[in-house]
Amino acid sequence: MGRRTLVRHLSVRLLPAVLLLTALDLGATWLITHQVDLETWQLDEIFWVMVAGQVALMLLFFLLVISGIRSGLRGVYRLSDELRSRSIEDLQALDVDQVPREIGPLVVHTNDLLGRLEASVQAQRRFVGHAAHQLRTPLTGLKLESELLLEQPLSDDIQARVMRIKQSTDRMIRLGQQLLVLARADPGTRPQDAFVRLDLAEEVRNVGMEWVPRAYAQSVALELDAPAAPVWIDGDAVLLAELIGNVLDNALRYGARPGLIRLGVGHAPPSLIIEDDGPGMGEQDQKRAFEAFYRAPANTSGGAGLGLAIVREIAQAHGGWCRLESGSGGRGLRVVIVFPGPRIGARLTRGAVSSAV
């Protein structure tokens, strides 16, 4: 019997108890046959005493067996708890040293399966990232050619076709950018390793200023409500800009004309709230809105359905969470993103972020 085997564990655990119970049984038998005055005992009394003793010994032995099996399978229980507590992205190998040797081959084969699955997922992520990156250059060239063509004198029919080509190219470029952001925000790439200390209010202010011209062109006003004091979080400035930009893009797509988009920043806990005044979203659509490529049946904006999926991925990469709510007075849509505060003792420095008012 090898070490860490269930057989060895049960033998070591149960053998002393079995020997003790056997000794007690023999001792009780000797006591009855040698020390008890049989003349004062009836045979049926002796019989029932021996039956009671055997039943008690059997119950004790049964309890010892159950206790030994449970202690022997404690490693299996720990393994089960570890698997249950893991996230869907965690495909790390299981610790084979914590389980009995008889179950070791099962854990080894499970680790092999997890390894192959991890390799497949990584290959898929690399393919998506590389494909999106490689498509960006020819699509940008196609967009430039269509813009140059639109500057030429064209018939109305040709101009409409070229405009459709440009719009389709813009959507494909946007989709490629979103796929690259998804690949970057994926937990498997560990974006947390590049986190720095950031002021959430300042990041929202900077990104909001960049979106003012586009909102103004669509007769939409941007309103910011943020505290004057910094709201510190640990994060990635590029990913945060994509998160805010995707929410603003959705708000501009579905908001009223003329309309208002409110951006709010909270500090306890650090949070971002973006609310539009559009038609809003039904409860069932709100539950599925964060799924990749999901589009509500009433959606006619032509988006790819990745905006809110990217928002969720970036929020989760920052250790936060997000939810959708109906806007003020039951109209519009409110997106709430809550971030954890900065980690105490984390060796992070404030990133070089330009300030804007």
Side-chain angles (χ1 to χ4, degrees):
M1 293 183 296
R3 300 184 61 183
R4 288 198 348 266
T5 63
L6 185 59
V7 174
R8 177 187 175 89
H9 176 84
L10 291 178
S11 299
V12 173
R13 186 71 180 265
L14 296 180
L15 185 59
V18 171
L19 294 177
L20 177 61
L21 291 177
T22 303
L24 291 175
D25 187 29
L26 292 176
T29 304
W30 182 85
L31 182 64
I32 292 175
T33 57
H34 291 77
Q35 299 297 323
V36 175
D37 186 3
L38 297 180
E39 294 181 356
T40 61
W41 281 59
Q42 301 294 328
L43 290 178
D44 57 345
E45 294 177 342
I46 297 175
F47 171 77
W48 287 114
V49 168
M50 296 184 66
V51 168
Q54 295 296 326
V55 170
L57 291 174
M58 290 176 61
L59 289 175
L60 288 175
F61 182 75
F62 177 76
L63 293 176
L64 287 172
V65 170
I66 295 298
S67 174
I69 293 176
R70 285 183 174 177
S71 62
L73 296 178
R74 190 174 294 119
V76 180
Y77 297 149
R78 285 197 297 266
L79 184 65
S80 176
D81 293 337
E82 179 184 353
L83 287 173
R84 183 172 58 252
S85 61
R86 281 191 177 191
S87 66
I88 192 172
E89 297 88 5
D90 189 356
L91 298 177
Q92 297 297 316
L94 302 170
D95 188 3
V96 70
D97 294 332
Q98 300 298 323
V99 298
R101 190 177 297 273
E102 291 87 350
I103 306 177
L106 175 61
V107 179
V108 170
H109 292 309
T110 301
N111 286 338
D112 179 64
L113 177 61
L114 290 174
R116 285 182 281 141
L117 182 59
E118 173 71 12
S120 175
V121 171
Q122 292 294 342
Q124 183 181 14
R125 291 169 180 165
R126 288 193 298 269
F127 171 77
V128 171
H130 292 164
H133 182 75
Q134 293 298 324
L135 285 173
R136 184 167 54 181
T137 300
L139 288 174
T140 302
L142 181 60
K143 176 183 178 181
L144 178 60
E145 292 294 335
S146 62
E147 290 176 346
L148 292 176
L149 190 58
L150 286 172
E151 294 179 358
Q152 305 298 321
L154 302 171
S155 65
D156 294 341
D157 180 59
I158 298 299
Q159 188 174 28
R161 294 184 180 183
V162 175
M163 180 60 70
R164 286 196 295 269
I165 293 175
K166 179 181 178 300
Q167 291 173 349
S168 298
T169 304
D170 289 338
R171 286 196 296 269
M172 294 178 68
I173 292 175
R174 177 60 178 166
L175 177 60
Q177 293 174 340
Q178 290 178 323
L179 291 175
L180 285 174
V181 172
L182 275 177
R184 179 172 179 177
D186 194 284
T189 62
R190 292 197 57 80
Q192 300 87 353
D193 295 340
F195 279 5
V196 296
R197 189 63 48 82
L198 298 172
D199 178 7
L200 179 61
E202 185 177 354
E203 294 297 318
V204 174
R205 187 179 299 112
N206 291 338
V207 176
M209 291 293 294
E210 295 176 0
W211 280 78
V212 166
R214 179 175 171 182
Y216 179 79
Q218 300 184 38
S219 302
V220 176
L222 294 183
E223 180 182 286
L224 173 63
D225 180 15
V231 180
W232 298 115
I233 63 171
D234 297 335
D236 183 295
V238 176
L239 290 179
L240 284 175
E242 285 292 335
L243 180 149
I244 301 168
N246 276 278
V247 180
L248 287 175
D249 182 68
N250 273 4
L252 284 176
R253 287 177 183 271
Y254 305 111
R257 298 292 186 275
L260 174 66
I261 298 177
R262 299 180 179 88
L263 294 84
V265 178
H267 66 279
S271 58
L272 169 63
I273 301 174
I274 299 180
E275 180 180 342
D276 62 55
D277 55 358
M281 185 181 294
E283 184 177 348
Q284 293 301 321
D285 291 329
Q286 289 183 16
K287 293 179 180 179
R288 300 191 57 190
F290 291 109
E291 298 178 10
F293 300 106
Y294 175 77
R295 297 176 62 192
N299 186 344
T300 59
S301 67
L306 279 176
L308 291 178
I310 290 175
V311 170
R312 181 186 63 179
E313 291 295 329
I314 295 177
Q316 291 179 347
H318 285 76
W321 54 271
C322 51
R323 70 173 184 268
L324 299 180
E325 302 174 348
S326 296
S328 302
R331 178 173 175 80
L333 185 68
R334 180 186 297 128
V335 182
V336 180
I337 303 108
V338 180
F339 299 91
R343 292 171 291 174
I344 303 300
R347 297 182 178 179
L348 298 175
T349 58
R350 185 183 178 189
V353 182
S354 60
S355 61
V357 180

